[in-house]
Amino acid sequence: MKTSKRNDSAWFIALSIGGAGVTLAVYIVIGYFAGKWLAQVLDGPKLWLAVGMIAGMCLGIMNIIYFVRKFMGEQDE
């Protein structure tokens, strides 16, 4: 039986999951403001808001996937 080099508590895991949620929300808000800025600069439709938010959501999900893979990889050792 392998012992983990890191002694992860329930608090650390809860903070990690909460941090991932906050990170996703931040990416979506940044995408919203980027879409709003593009709509103003290009004098385009409000569709840019949705495009920016969806792009932010996709980037946030990719970041969470990277985070989970890194976190789970450290526990395998």
Side-chain angles (χ1 to χ4, degrees), residues 2-65:
K2 290 185 179 180
T3 59
S4 177
K5 293 180 183 178
R6 290 178 50 186
N7 189 11
D8 294 336
S9 67
W11 287 106
F12 179 74
I13 294 170
L15 284 172
S16 299
I17 293 171
V22 170
T23 302
L24 179 62
V26 167
Y27 272 104
I28 292 172
V29 169
I30 289 172
Y32 169 78
F33 285 115
K36 187 175 179 180
W37 177 77
L38 277 173
Q40 288 177 353
V41 168
L42 299 176
D43 198 28
K46 298 292 182 184
L47 180 66
W48 285 107
L49 293 173
V51 170
M53 289 176 66
I54 291 171
M57 184 179 66
C58 291
L59 288 173
I61 290 172
M62 288 173 31
N63 189 358
I64 290 173
I65 290 170

Side-chain angles (χ1 to χ4, degrees), residues 6 63-77:
R6 290 178 50 186
N63 189 358
I64 290 173
I65 290 170
Y66 171 75
F67 175 74
V68 168
R69 283 187 180 174
K70 182 179 177 186
F71 184 72
M72 296 302 287
E74 289 177 0
Q75 289 191 358
D76 288 341
E77 295 175 356

